Amino acid sequence: AGQLDRIGSVNLPGSVFAGGMQEVVQRRLSHVPAPASDLLNTAAVLGREVNLDVFNALHPEVDTANWLNTCADASVLEVENRCWRFTHDKLREQLLIDMPNQRHVDLHTRVAQAIEQIYPNNDDYASALAYHWQEAGQAEKAIYYLQRAGQQTARTSAYQEAVRFFEQALYLLDTLQDTPERIQQELDLQIALANMLIAVKGYAASEVEKAYERARLLCQRVGQTPQLFRVIWGLSSYYTIKAEFEVAHQLAQQLLALAQRQQDPLLLVEACRMLGSTLMFSGQAEQSVRYVSQGYNLYNPERHKEHVQFYATDPGVVCLCYWAWGLWLQGYTEQARQKLDDALALTQLLAHP
């Protein structure tokens, strides 16, 4: 790519790119003749790499192969690993800088629409769609895809990236009018963010408490919502790890009341598991065993497998571990060992990290 290869490899003062290097970039771009140069704006909006499926959908009348060769002759585009891309990102940056604002918005809108049509319901393109809709000024659509991108990266255990997507969605959400739908969407995002922050920073991180406390406030605004259970569960976990056992136990009692009110055996397991843990850390081993054994007797591996996504661990395994701990503290070592063996067997059956 000529002199452009050296850009980015050394630290240069800002005035350099604004002057001499900018001239190099503009001279390179000027080598592409007018009919082909206008199409570079679409390529710039698509990104460093040019998605030819999307490009062709937007410009079906263009002889794409001829256009690519023309740009390659001018050393503006190149092929790398069978993908067409700008020879240097400074070329793309200059095209974006020079692009009129309305053209920028229009192209991002068209690109987003094309991606939706070509790759329907494909979460691999959720982050790209979030970016394009945000650049097009469509905050609601950008939030929708940021949430999907966060969920998709969470499924692949890319928790830090998921945090970034959820935080960006919440930032954009603040720009929208306060409506019941917006409140519900923020509640969903705050809970999702808290779960990812636990994975990244641990249960006792202040950011975790902040997200869950905000979610609890939103639950009050929404009214009766099943999500309140998950929020209280998260706060009880936070205060347990912070060694504020009385607060954690009071929250765990709220969990039990919620689960009993809803008559939901799945939630009863989680409530018993949390009560057992708060009692154990408070030195009440016998009471702890009573609750975790009750929780385990209600546990169903098949029905509870989705709980790992929301509560980070399997409740059956946790109940068995606390059960073993409680028995050991009471002097029942052989029974405790058996419960630990049961817990290990269950983890192998579940095969979840």
Side-chain angles (χ1 to χ4, degrees):
Q3 299 177 61
L4 290 177
D5 286 341
R6 293 179 295 163
I7 302 175
S9 62
V10 294
N11 294 322
L12 299 172
S15 58
V16 172
F17 183 68
M21 289 301 177
Q22 187 177 29
E23 291 180 6
V24 172
V25 170
Q26 290 176 330
R27 191 182 313 123
R28 176 73 60 81
L29 291 171
S30 70
H31 292 163
V32 181
S37 62
D38 187 58
L39 296 171
L40 283 172
N41 287 314
T42 300
V45 167
L46 283 169
R48 176 75 188 269
E49 290 189 358
V50 184
N51 184 318
L52 293 182
D53 290 335
V54 177
F55 182 89
N56 288 328
L58 294 174
H59 302 288
E61 76 290 349
V62 171
D63 183 341
T64 303
N66 183 60
W67 173 74
L68 290 169
N69 289 328
T70 299
C71 294
D73 290 341
S75 297
V76 171
L77 296 180
E78 64 182 359
V79 179
E80 184 170 300
N81 297 324
R82 299 184 179 182
C83 294
W84 282 91
R85 50 176 272 169
F86 283 92
T87 55
H88 199 286
D89 205 43
K90 291 298 182 185
L91 295 164
R92 174 176 174 266
E93 289 177 10
Q94 189 61 47
L95 287 164
L96 295 174
I97 290 170
D98 294 340
M99 193 180 302
N101 183 63
Q102 191 56 52
R103 183 75 188 282
H104 177 95
V105 170
D106 291 344
L107 279 175
H108 276 287
T109 300
R110 294 180 62 206
V111 166
Q113 291 171 338
I115 293 175
E116 287 178 333
Q117 292 173 0
I118 297 170
Y119 311 108
N121 301 315
N122 188 334
D123 283 344
D124 289 341
Y125 292 88
S127 61
L129 283 164
Y131 164 71
H132 290 300
W133 282 123
Q134 184 173 349
E135 291 296 307
Q138 299 292 326
E140 291 185 3
K141 289 191 173 185
I143 293 166
Y144 170 74
Y145 283 111
L146 282 167
Q147 189 169 5
R148 284 181 58 174
Q151 293 165 344
Q152 195 268 344
T153 52
R155 287 192 294 270
T156 61
S157 301
Y159 301 128
Q160 187 66 63
E161 191 173 2
V163 166
R164 181 173 61 82
F165 285 130
F166 291 140
E167 287 181 336
Q168 180 63 16
L170 286 166
Y171 173 80
L172 289 180
L173 204 61
D174 278 341
T175 67
L176 301 183
Q177 186 177 358
D178 196 17
T179 64
E181 292 76 17
R182 181 209 168 281
I183 295 171
Q184 181 60 58
Q185 193 166 22
E186 183 184 353
L187 175 56
D188 295 339
L189 286 166
Q190 291 288 2
I191 293 173
L193 174 62
N195 288 340
M196 293 303 99
L197 287 169
I198 288 171
V200 173
K201 299 191 175 187
Y203 280 98
S206 60
E207 296 91 337
V208 173
E209 181 195 23
K210 180 181 177 182
Y212 275 130
E213 285 292 0
R214 175 61 181 169
R216 177 156 64 170
L217 177 62
L218 291 167
C219 284
Q220 294 172 0
R221 296 183 64 185
V222 169
Q224 293 293 330
T225 171
Q227 290 170 299
L228 179 60
F229 186 94
R230 288 171 58 190
V231 173
I232 299 299
W233 190 96
L235 285 170
S236 184
S237 298
Y238 168 79
Y239 285 111
T240 298
I241 301 302
K242 293 285 286 186
E244 297 184 35
F245 301 128
E246 183 58 33
V247 178
H249 185 65
Q250 290 173 2
L251 290 165
Q253 289 177 316
Q254 291 181 38
L255 290 176
L256 183 61
L258 285 168
Q260 290 173 337
R261 193 178 308 138
Q262 297 179 40
Q263 298 183 334
D264 188 333
L266 299 181
L267 297 184
L268 275 170
V269 174
E270 295 291 351
C272 288
R273 164 248 190 112
M274 188 58 71
L275 271 168
S277 66
T278 60
L279 287 165
M280 181 67 73
F281 287 116
S282 299
Q284 301 179 59
E286 186 176 352
Q287 285 288 86
S288 173
V289 166
R290 182 164 71 88
Y291 279 107
V292 296
S293 61
Q294 180 183 343
Y296 183 74
N297 289 332
L298 292 170
Y299 169 75
N300 182 306
E302 187 62 28
R303 296 185 67 193
H304 279 91
K305 64 181 181 181
E306 298 300 326
H307 278 218
V308 175
Q309 177 183 351
F310 303 120
Y311 302 101
T313 54
D314 180 83
V317 173
V318 175
C319 283
L320 284 169
C321 289
Y322 277 104
W323 196 346
W325 191 5
L327 288 169
W328 180 77
L329 289 173
Q330 294 177 75
Y332 303 114
T333 55
E334 288 303 319
Q335 293 180 47
R337 182 177 292 111
Q338 182 58 55
K339 294 303 175 189
L340 282 178
D341 289 342
D342 293 343
L344 287 170
L346 180 56
T347 59
Q348 293 171 353
L349 175 67
L350 297 171
H352 187 279

